Amino acid sequence: MEAKTAVPSPEDQTSNSPPEAPTVAEPTRFGSRRRVPLEVGPFRLVELLGEGGMGSVYRAEQDLPRRQVAVKLILAHRFDEARLRRFEAERQALARMSHPYIAQVYAAGTSADGQPYLAMELIAGEPLTRYCDGHRLPLSERIELVIAVCQGVQHAHQKAVLHGDLKPSNVLVTEIDGRAVPKIIDFGIARGLDEPLAPGTTLDPGVLGTPSYICPEALTSGETRGLDTRADVYALGVVLYELLTGVQPFGGSGVEVLQRVAAGDFEPPSAAVAKLAPAERARLAGLRRVDARSLARALRGDLDAIVLRAMARDRDARYASAAELAADLRRHLDEQPVLATPAGMAYRVRKFVRRHRAAVAGATLTAIALVAGFVARSLEARRAGQEAAAAREVTDFMVGLFQTPDPGGGLRPDATAREILDRGARRIRGELAGQPLTRARLLDTIGNVYRSLGLYPSAIDLLSQALAERRRLLGPDHPDVGETEYHLATSYRELGRYAEAEPFARRANAIAERSGNLRTRAGCLVELATIAGRRGRRDEAEKNLQSALGLFERALGPDSERVSAALNNLGNLYYDERRFPEAEKCHLRAIAIKEKTLGPNHLYLAQSLNNLANVYSAMGRFDDAQGLHARALKIKRQALPADHPEIGISLLNLGDVASRRGDLATAVARYREALGFWERTQAADYLPAAYTRASLASALATLGQAKEADHLYQSALAVLAAKLPPAHPNLTEVRAEYARFLRAAGQPPQAPHQR
């Protein structure tokens, strides 16, 4: 911009008016010319950087201290009362904040001719989306930038400032010491969170921000509560959507966009990418350093769920804060379970049941059943006379554990499975020193029963001894060695120690592959798939499950129960990735196999009905979900004793469906029924009972029954903290729920039992 103009002399000025500020005629983008001051306060305007609805931004210079700044100025021809109020709101908002991811404010004032201005940090950067595409940032680095933006937004919220117009062009990315640093700018329509809208206020979308980023509640006439921090969380979700996919969630323009925003009419990121033309999908994938097929896969699951939660039409279903959104993104990057899972507490309980399938079926009954299974397998697999004799030794030993103990044995007639197994472990150490192969088999058998009961330290101890014995006696490639490696892999995986589990599973799979045992190898592939899924490698998990399914079909036929079990695992993987039609297909086939081979009233069928019900619940097909859970409950009540834990699981599932459909009264009734069942039939520290207390607490908190909810949360956390590892995702999630409850109640967000 030219800095040449005539300065009026004192003789031309009247005594009762201030001197006219030096100005220059400057062209606008509309072709007209306007007068702007050369100086505002201590700043000399150098170059027009941009124009917006709230004014123009200039690059300017300051002598003391020597620096370049950005000056935002409202020009005289744009003066009106509303714009001045909004500009003053921005000045006050920025003055409250000091954060590395928010543009710093240096000064605010009024020019000599009365035009308000704001001087702030000059950001030599690019808009967020342009920077990410220009540098071809992978998804992980894009997410890191969003996390940083969330931190800046959270700081603004803590200062009681709502930005109100978050979008990629209002986040500039600069580089500091070679590191990309986002800077949030343009708080031009920000307002204080302590300035709620008046009841009945109808909000003008033009004032609220850019249509594609306006939250649905801002478009609702008659909104009485006003906007809160979740309006910015929604906009952050839209920004995240664009960064991940390269497209905006709401197509069209103008009124059409606003209609789609108000209706919540958009597709999950993975679905939006999958529908793109092949060439465009390949181009956008290339900007993210992946191939076109991998991009949609990378978005399915956690990232879809996180975006959908951030952009939920109902703000009560969104993350409560930008910090919560950032925390879930961090969990995704760290390959930890995210909180935005579609089924809430039902998801956690289903995961628990899958990990502890035998324990849920009843401790003593499970122990007996597993012993019988191991004995039968030993006799079937070992036909030679010496091996058959060794198997009979295992049989005799295990059956002896369940016979009435001798008076001096210290074992009560009503002993628990744990006491029986502990007795067996002691006998193995004392009685079988001269029979190493038999000792190794028994260590493996009892160790695996410990595992089925969730007694992982004892299981790992015995299985490690069995593995050492078998390697020494049989060599590293013997099938029995692979069997114990597999059991150790399962134990470590169920304990959540996936890095330790994986080498055992890989060695077991290699041994099974060399031996040509299709059924055993299929089981190892299922275990590897489970581990890969838990470590975030979903493509590998799906590949292994598909391979396992094919091996089971070849080895056992298409209608084998093991085929239905593999379908169940594959369906659960698709469910976790929100690929609900594929999950439904797997579970429907598994149900058909079980109905054909096991009959209409078998317990395994009830488990598959539960899984399909979870899929339908996540799809919003609540009537179908409720019907399947009710059918599963009927089967369990017919097939099991009246106090069997599986009955309580079904009661809990029915409560979760009612909760998800918003019928909290029914949910509370079901949760209370389940909790009463646990209290009558199980020990006080039974894990499903703790999960039930947490679910009931969440429903009661929503209904405003804070006192009872607080008590239930604390009771649940006491059990979870005692029974689970400190970093277990289920414990972490319930702690986070309790912290949100405390914040909502105005208490310090420090949940108990965090040692």
Side-chain angles (χ1 to χ4, degrees):
M1 167 174 100
E2 291 291 333
K4 298 179 181 178
T5 188
V7 180
S9 66
E11 291 79 8
D12 296 326
Q13 301 171 5
T14 61
S15 60
N16 60 353
S17 62
E20 182 180 344
T23 62
V24 65
E26 180 180 87
T28 72
R29 48 181 183 169
F30 305 109
S32 61
R33 299 182 72 83
R34 62 184 172 209
R35 307 297 298 183
V36 298
L38 285 173
E39 295 182 353
V40 288
F43 307 104
R44 292 187 304 277
L45 305 187
V46 175
E47 178 186 5
L48 177 67
L49 297 177
E51 297 177 282
M54 289 307 302
S56 299
V57 180
Y58 297 84
R59 181 169 63 85
E61 293 178 346
Q62 183 180 13
D63 291 331
L64 293 174
R66 185 70 178 174
R67 61 187 176 190
Q68 292 194 337
V69 302
V71 171
K72 185 170 186 177
L73 186 69
I74 288 184
L75 301 173
H77 77 287
R78 295 190 182 180
F79 268 72
D80 64 55
E81 185 178 352
R83 284 190 171 88
L84 285 175
R85 282 200 307 268
R86 287 160 60 190
F87 190 75
E88 180 61 25
E90 180 180 16
R91 287 167 53 173
Q92 294 180 9
L94 288 171
R96 300 183 191 185
M97 296 177 290
S98 177
H99 192 275
Y101 301 138
I102 296 176
Q104 183 179 353
V105 174
Y106 296 137
T110 304
S111 67
D113 61 352
Q115 299 185 63
Y117 72 86
L118 191 67
M120 67 190 79
E121 183 180 2
L122 180 64
I123 310 298
E126 297 178 273
L128 181 59
T129 46
R130 187 188 305 167
Y131 179 91
C132 290
D133 288 349
H135 291 75
R136 298 182 67 246
L137 294 189
L139 292 179
S140 61
E141 294 183 30
R142 292 168 186 251
I143 292 169
E144 289 283 6
L145 284 173
V146 174
I147 290 174
V149 174
C150 288
Q151 292 170 354
V153 173
Q154 182 68 18
H155 173 80
H157 292 171
Q158 289 171 339
K159 298 295 183 180
V161 175
L162 185 71
H163 186 286
D165 195 20
L166 288 168
K167 55 186 176 181
S169 61
N170 280 343
V171 180
L172 300 181
V173 182
T174 187
E175 293 188 353
I176 300 176
D177 297 329
R179 182 174 69 92
V181 177
K183 296 280 188 176
I184 304 170
I185 63 170
D186 202 351
F187 283 74
I189 62 172
R191 65 180 182 84
L193 292 171
D194 50 359
E195 302 168 10
L197 296 175
T201 300
T202 301
L203 299 171
D204 176 6
V207 173
L208 281 170
T210 307
S212 295
Y213 306 88
I214 297 173
C215 58
E217 63 267 24
L219 303 176
T220 303
S221 177
E223 175 63 54
T224 60
R225 292 175 293 175
L227 302 184
D228 58 23
T229 57
R230 292 168 293 182
D232 280 348
V233 169
Y234 179 90
L236 286 168
V238 182
V239 171
L240 175 62
Y241 191 113
E242 282 191 65
L243 283 179
L244 296 176
T245 66
V247 298
Q248 288 191 341
F250 304 104
S253 60
V255 174
E256 180 185 356
V257 170
L258 295 177
Q259 289 173 340
R260 294 190 64 190
V261 169
D265 179 18
F266 69 95
E267 294 181 306
S270 62
V273 167
K275 287 189 173 182
L276 292 172
E280 178 64 4
R281 185 164 63 247
R283 183 186 72 83
L284 292 173
L287 294 177
R288 288 149 181 82
R289 302 188 188 182
V290 294
D291 59 64
R293 185 169 178 267
S294 297
L295 178 58
R297 286 181 176 271
L299 298 178
R300 277 197 295 266
D302 283 358
L303 291 176
D304 271 348
I306 289 171
V307 170
L308 290 174
R309 182 164 177 176
M311 293 180 61
R313 185 176 182 274
D314 179 0
R315 63 178 173 185
D316 290 335
R318 289 178 213 147
Y319 295 100
S321 67
E324 286 191 8
L325 170 57
D328 234 11
L329 289 171
R330 177 58 61 198
R331 290 186 193 95
H332 169 74
L333 293 179
D334 291 343
E335 299 184 347
Q336 296 293 324
V338 302
L339 301 186
T341 49
M345 190 61 71
Y347 172 83
R348 295 195 296 275
V349 172
R350 181 173 57 80
K351 294 288 189 181
F352 171 82
V353 171
R354 290 220 305 267
R355 285 195 299 277
H356 307 281
R357 188 182 304 278
V360 170
T364 303
L365 291 174
T366 298
I368 295 172
L370 281 173
V371 168
F374 278 114
V375 169
R377 190 174 61 195
S378 296
L379 290 171
E380 178 186 1
R382 299 173 176 87
R383 301 299 182 186
Q386 183 179 1
E387 291 299 324
R392 281 194 296 273
E393 290 176 347
V394 174
T395 303
D396 291 342
F397 184 91
M398 296 301 295
V399 170
L401 293 180
F402 291 91
Q403 292 174 342
T404 302
D406 61 273
L411 194 64
R412 304 185 319 277
D414 60 347
T416 65
R418 172 67 186 268
E419 290 170 314
I420 293 170
L421 293 172
D422 287 346
R423 181 178 188 238
R426 289 193 299 271
R427 285 185 57 188
I428 289 172
R429 293 185 176 96
E431 299 176 10
L432 298 174
Q435 300 170 272
L437 273 177
T438 300
R439 181 176 184 272
R441 289 191 185 100
L442 284 166
L443 287 168
D444 181 83
T445 298
I446 295 182
N448 202 41
V449 176
Y450 272 123
R451 178 204 60 77
S452 73
L453 299 175
L455 304 171
Y456 301 117
S458 297
I460 290 171
D461 177 49
L462 293 188
L463 290 170
S464 297
Q465 293 179 52
L467 181 61
E469 287 283 335
R470 284 182 157 177
R471 281 177 174 168
R472 181 177 66 83
L473 296 166
L474 303 172
D477 297 325
H478 194 279
D480 287 354
V481 172
E483 179 183 65
T484 306
E485 299 249 31
Y486 173 82
H487 294 156
L488 273 167
T490 304
S491 299
Y492 279 116
R493 187 258 303 164
E494 290 182 343
L495 194 58
R497 294 160 64 176
Y498 308 127
E500 293 167 274
E502 190 162 359
F504 289 110
R506 291 197 180 280
R507 285 194 293 267
N509 182 56
I511 292 171
E513 187 173 13
R514 285 193 292 269
S515 70
N517 189 322
L518 298 183
R519 179 176 176 176
T520 302
R521 188 175 175 225
C524 292
L525 287 172
V526 170
E527 187 62 33
L528 283 169
T530 304
I531 294 168
R534 300 284 170 79
R535 305 191 77 183
R537 306 195 306 265
R538 289 190 172 87
D539 287 355
E540 180 183 338
E542 181 179 357
K543 179 181 177 182
N544 283 334
L545 283 174
Q546 293 280 13
S547 298
L549 181 60
L551 290 173
F552 279 134
E553 288 174 330
R554 286 171 55 193
L556 304 172
D559 294 331
S560 165
E561 197 278 326
R562 294 302 301 272
V563 170
S564 68
L567 286 166
N568 176 74
N569 287 331
L570 189 59
N572 287 336
L573 175 68
Y574 290 147
Y575 170 85
D576 291 342
E577 295 185 338
R578 299 182 64 81
R579 296 161 65 179
F580 299 134
E582 293 162 276
E584 179 187 22
K585 183 178 179 181
C586 287
H587 289 312
L588 284 172
R589 185 184 168 198
I591 288 170
I593 291 172
K594 290 177 179 177
E595 287 179 326
K596 178 180 179 180
T597 59
L598 302 175
N601 297 311
H602 198 280
L603 180 60
Y604 289 169
L605 174 61
Q607 293 170 343
S608 287
L609 293 172
N610 282 340
N611 288 330
L612 181 58
N614 288 337
V615 172
Y616 286 154
S617 181
M619 297 172 73
R621 294 168 58 177
F622 300 119
D623 289 340
D624 292 335
Q626 181 177 335
L628 289 171
H629 279 313
R631 182 184 171 193
L633 177 59
K634 182 178 180 180
I635 291 173
K636 291 175 183 180
R637 282 178 165 158
Q638 292 174 346
L640 296 169
D643 60 350
H644 197 283
E646 277 283 353
I647 294 172
I649 293 295
S650 281
L651 293 171
L652 179 56
N653 287 337
L654 285 165
D656 285 327
V657 171
S659 178
R660 285 182 57 78
R661 77 188 311 166
D663 185 0
L664 293 181
T666 300
V668 166
R670 287 296 192 178
Y671 289 145
R672 290 196 190 281
E673 186 179 2
L675 189 56
F677 178 89
W678 300 131
E679 290 173 349
R680 291 192 305 272
T681 63
Q682 301 296 325
D685 62 347
Y686 191 57
L687 273 173
Y691 294 137
T692 305
R693 291 187 184 96
S695 293
L696 178 57
S698 177
L700 291 173
T702 304
L703 292 171
Q705 300 180 40
K707 185 176 180 179
E708 185 179 1
D710 194 348
H711 171 75
L712 288 165
Y713 270 129
Q714 294 197 46
S715 176
L717 283 167
V719 173
L720 297 177
K723 302 279 284 187
L724 299 176
H728 196 283
N730 293 358
L731 175 58
T732 301
E733 183 167 357
V734 177
R735 279 177 176 158
E737 286 186 2
Y738 184 49
R740 287 195 291 272
F741 166 80
L742 291 176
R743 282 197 298 270
Q747 301 179 44
Q750 294 180 345
H753 313 296
Q754 293 191 351
R755 293 194 301 272

